[in-house]
């Protein structure tokens, strides 16, 4: 008599001893129930039900976790007042630099770069756990979610349904409602599909998420996102991973001026001057990954980006001089010898 159940786990066919619950499966796979999320036949299994949810023949199971995809102290200004930081969905942060966790050569370098950047928020991707090597290092071994805020994102999602499914799994895995949504239109440009993005934003907000949204540098689309409940608008500076810098400062300034929620440039930053330029437009912050991860010295670049964001913010607050068509001497001309 066959005492096993045929099931599929993360796309792999397996047989497990019956009867079996979700927690039995996780134990067999060497996975910590507290650090993963489980989906059974496209339905998320709450952690509270792991011990009571029995598996059946033919079940399709997905087991996911977070993968790579410090408290910064604000300095006093020249007037002696402390810079106030910024607030999103009721959470206040002092660091205005958000760092991604993809493309680094290893998690240790990633963690050192996050520390050098003074970042309080890092973006993380939701991916299947490694069933063949459950002891393989994980992002959470190097970055503690109790010390830095994890911002689950939907990198690689091309439909609203896939993005919403990913974020619901992320909430189950880590318990976080603050998320970053991106719904991509096609693989070459990774440009956002704004119709799908707006639809997903509206649904996720109804589902209790606080949604920070990657979007086109389009003031009309940005306003629509705010209207449906986005807690932050994140226009691209240039295509993801391009390092081209901010291509349309005029439209990003328009988005800043019209928005009542935080605006952060997301994607396209390549060097420190790009980050400073984003802040000088009045943005509340900058999100970057490739610019740091693919630098020859990621830790040094992270430190440079931290300083650039701070300098750009100070420059914006100070108020730049007016532009003139012709020269205007710094020294008075009266009294020349």
């Amino acid at each position: 008599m066959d005492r096993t159940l045929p099931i599929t786990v993360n796309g792999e066919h397996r047989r497990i001893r019956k009867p079996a619950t979700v927690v039995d499966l996780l134990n067999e796979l060497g996975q910590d129930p507290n650090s993963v999320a489980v989906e059974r036949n496209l339905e998320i299994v709450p952690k509270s039900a792991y011990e009571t949810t029995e598996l059946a023949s033919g079940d399709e199971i997905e087991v996911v976790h977070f993968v790579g995809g410090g408290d910064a102290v604000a300095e006093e200004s020249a007037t002696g007042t402390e810079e106030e930081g910024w607030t999103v969905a009721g959470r206040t942060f002092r660091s205005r630099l958000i760092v991604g966790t993809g493309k680094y050569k290893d998690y240790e370098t990633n963690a050192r770069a996050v520390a050098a950047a003074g970042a309080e928020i890092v973006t993380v991707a939701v991916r299947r756990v490694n069933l063949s090597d459950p002891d393989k290092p994980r992002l959470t071994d190097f970055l503690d979610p109790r010390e830095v805020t994890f911002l689950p994102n939907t990198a690689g999602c091309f439909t609203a349904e896939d993005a919403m499914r990913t974020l619901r799994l992320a909430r189950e895995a880590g318990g976080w409602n603050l998320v970053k949504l991106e719904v991509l239109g096609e693989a070459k440009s990774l440009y956002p599909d704004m119709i799908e993005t707006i639809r997903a934003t509206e649904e996720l907000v109804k589902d209790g998420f606080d949604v920070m949204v990657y979007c086109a540098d389009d003031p009309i689309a940005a306003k629509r996102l705010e209207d449906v409940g986005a807690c932050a608008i994140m226009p691209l500076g240039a295509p993801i991973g391009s390092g081209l810098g901010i291509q349309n400062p005029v439209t990003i300034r328009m988005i800043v001026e019209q928005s009542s929620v935080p605006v952060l440039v997301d994607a396209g930053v390549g060097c420190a001057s790009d980050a400073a330029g984003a802040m000088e437009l009045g943005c509340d912050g900058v999100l970057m990954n490739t610019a740091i991860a693919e630098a020859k010295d990621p830790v040094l670049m992270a430190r440079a980006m931290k300083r650039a964001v701070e300098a750009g913010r100070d420059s914006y607050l100070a108020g730049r001089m007016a532009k003139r068509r012709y020269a205007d001497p710094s020294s008075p001309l009266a009294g020349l010898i």
Side-chain angles (χ1 to χ4, degrees):
M1 182 177 181
D2 189 0
R3 296 184 178 276
T4 63
L5 287 172
I7 61 174
T8 301
V9 183
N10 289 1
E12 299 179 6
H13 296 293
R14 286 176 170 261
R15 301 191 75 90
I16 61 172
R17 298 187 63 176
K18 62 180 181 182
T21 62
V22 168
V23 76
D24 293 331
L25 173 63
L26 294 177
N27 288 335
E28 182 175 315
L29 297 175
Q31 301 297 325
D32 177 6
N34 294 317
S35 64
V36 298
V38 177
E39 186 182 70
R40 178 182 179 230
N41 302 327
L42 300 180
E43 293 289 337
I44 293 175
V45 181
K47 291 184 186 296
S48 59
Y50 283 1
E51 293 186 358
T52 57
T53 301
E54 293 191 1
L55 302 179
S57 176
D59 277 351
E60 294 188 5
I61 307 295
E62 293 287 342
V63 184
V64 305
H65 66 148
F66 295 119
V67 302
D71 190 7
V73 179
E75 297 180 359
E76 292 189 354
S77 70
T79 61
T81 59
E82 189 177 80
E83 224 279 275
E84 76 286 359
W86 66 290
T87 300
V88 59
R91 303 164 177 84
T92 299
F93 301 93
R94 291 186 176 179
S95 172
R96 295 176 180 272
L97 176 57
I98 299 176
V99 177
T101 52
K103 298 186 176 181
Y104 289 89
K105 67 177 183 178
D106 52 48
Y107 286 140
E108 181 182 3
T109 302
N110 191 172
R112 290 173 58 216
V114 169
E120 296 171 283
I121 305 175
V122 297
T123 59
V124 293
V126 181
R127 295 292 185 268
R128 289 171 167 174
V129 300
N130 188 334
L131 299 179
S132 62
D133 186 6
D135 296 324
K136 185 177 180 180
R138 299 187 181 192
L139 179 67
T140 50
D141 296 332
F142 295 85
L143 289 173
D144 189 340
R146 294 170 298 182
E147 297 178 359
V148 62
T149 297
F150 277 24
L151 183 66
N153 68 20
T154 57
C157 292
F158 290 85
T159 67
E161 282 72 23
D162 284 348
M164 291 187 289
R165 178 188 178 197
T166 296
L167 291 178
R168 286 168 180 145
L169 279 167
R171 180 165 61 182
E172 185 62 30
W176 297 290
N177 285 334
L178 182 64
V179 297
K180 180 198 164 190
L181 171 70
E182 58 182 72
V183 184
L184 305 175
E186 49 83 31
K188 184 176 181 180
S189 69
L190 299 182
Y191 207 75
D193 180 332
M194 292 311 302
I195 294 175
E196 289 286 274
T197 297
I198 292 169
R199 182 165 71 88
T201 301
E202 190 168 17
E203 290 298 318
L204 289 166
V205 169
K206 290 178 182 177
D207 199 16
F209 285 92
D210 296 318
V211 191
M212 302 173 68
V213 189
Y214 167 69
C215 63
D217 52 347
D218 175 356
I220 305 303
K223 183 63 170 65
R224 178 61 178 154
L225 286 170
E226 186 174 349
D227 290 343
V228 299
C231 69
I233 307 299
M234 307 180 77
L236 57 84
I240 292 172
S242 68
L244 291 172
I246 297 174
Q247 298 297 294
N248 296 307
V250 173
T251 55
I252 290 181
R253 186 185 293 278
M254 287 180 181
I255 293 171
V256 169
E257 291 175 351
Q258 75 180 15
S259 298
S260 58
V261 297
V263 176
L264 301 91
V265 162
D266 178 11
V269 169
C271 59
S273 60
D274 296 335
M279 298 305 297
E280 288 177 332
L281 292 172
C283 292
D284 295 277
V286 182
L287 188 154
M288 66 185 71
N289 188 169
T290 308
I292 295 176
E294 291 191 355
K296 292 182 179 179
D297 187 334
V299 176
L300 183 59
M301 182 61 80
R303 188 178 306 127
M305 291 297 188
K306 175 180 184 292
R307 293 168 177 166
V309 167
E310 292 170 350
R313 178 65 178 174
D314 285 348
S315 177
Y316 171 73
L317 293 176
R320 66 157 291 144
M321 61 168 282
K323 294 182 179 180
R324 302 183 178 93
R325 294 182 63 188
Y326 301 102
D328 183 36
S330 299
S331 301
L333 297 179
L336 284 174
I337 298 174

